[in-house]
Amino acid sequence: MTGKEVVSLCKDKMGKAVEATKYKFASIRAGRASVSMLDGIKVEQYGSEMPLNQVGSVSAPEARLLVIDPWDKSLIAKIEKSIIAANLGLTPNNDGKVIRLVMPELTADRRKEYVKMAKSEAENGKVAVRNIRKDGNNDLKKLLKDKENPISEDEVKNLEAEIQKLTDAHIKEIDELFAKKEKEITTV
């Protein structure tokens, strides 16, 4: 592996860490309904766990309403059970055909809780980016000791600086995502 490959690998991994943080933010509720809130829910069907969006269509026809239309109506009870087990603070209502989830108004305390959750996810994302930086720097140090493909100390310093720039950029991106999510949560 060359020094440039180490930097490229770090860049890819850091990008994935930012995407993972974005995905976590999507599941944190802000005042309006979002189909991504239900992404983590699995429903037992024919002896296996299936993601909710594979057993029916999920839509958000109104700002505070989610509608789940199962393709197999016999799964309604199992879907309701999965939603309750997911502990999202939502109570499913069904009419035998579709399941409706009405989002309750967010209280100030609940908004603060959601901001804390988002802050925690942002911190986890930043820790992941820093760990990738550490691994990249360790890989560069290994290259320095490698007898097959020697690399100079100056090259290592330059590549470490490049990895640090990537780290700073990705952490800034996570901070911006958090600021946007915080605003989304606190806006009434």
Side-chain angles (χ1 to χ4, degrees):
M1 185 183 289
T2 66
K4 286 288 181 194
E5 288 172 338
V6 170
V7 172
S8 177
L9 192 64
C10 284
K11 184 177 181 180
D12 289 347
K13 287 181 178 178
M14 286 178 186
K16 287 178 183 165
V18 170
E19 285 304 311
T21 303
K22 229 185 255 186
Y23 178 78
K24 297 277 187 179
F25 281 168
S27 66
I28 297 174
R29 194 175 143 216
R32 67 183 71 83
S34 164
V35 293
S36 61
M37 293 170 59
L38 305 175
D39 281 352
I41 296 179
K42 302 265 191 260
V43 179
E44 201 233 304
Q45 179 186 27
Y46 311 121
S48 66
E49 297 274 310
M50 305 276 291
L52 181 61
N53 61 6
Q54 289 183 12
V55 297
S57 64
V58 182
S59 61
E62 296 172 24
R64 290 186 37 231
L65 178 70
L66 287 173
V67 176
I68 303 158
D69 187 4
W71 294 308
D72 180 355
K73 303 302 179 201
S74 67
L75 288 175
I76 286 180
K78 288 182 179 180
I79 293 171
E80 285 184 327
K81 189 176 165 189
S82 297
I83 291 168
I84 292 167
N87 201 15
L88 297 173
L90 302 173
T91 307
N93 302 315
N94 84 70
D95 60 7
K97 294 183 182 114
V98 297
I99 298 170
R100 288 181 180 78
L101 300 169
V102 179
M103 306 287 138
E105 276 296 326
L106 287 177
T107 63
D109 290 341
R110 198 76 174 123
R111 287 180 193 277
K112 285 179 189 168
E113 267 182 58
Y114 286 138
V115 169
K116 273 185 189 173
M117 285 169 60
K119 190 173 184 76
S120 169
E121 291 302 339
E123 201 48 50
N124 290 344
K126 290 196 256 183
V127 166
V129 168
R130 290 185 196 113
N131 285 336
I132 294 164
R133 174 189 61 193
K134 184 181 84 176
D135 293 344
N137 288 341
N138 288 342
D139 289 345
L140 289 175
K141 284 181 177 49
K142 285 178 192 163
L143 283 178
L144 190 60
K145 295 174 184 168
D146 188 9
K147 301 288 184 230
E148 303 280 316
N149 306 328
I151 183 173
S152 73
E153 282 190 35
D154 287 344
E155 274 183 278
V156 169
K157 292 273 183 254
N158 291 340
L159 293 170
E160 282 178 345
E162 211 173 309
I163 289 175
Q164 184 58 49
K165 279 183 192 163
L166 286 173
T167 303
D168 295 342
H170 285 88
I171 285 180
K172 183 177 182 226
E173 189 177 348
I174 289 173
D175 284 336
E176 288 167 356
L177 287 170
F178 170 69
K180 186 177 164 191
K181 186 65 179 183
E182 183 179 29
K183 186 176 184 221
E184 190 181 307
I185 292 169
T186 56
T187 303
V188 180

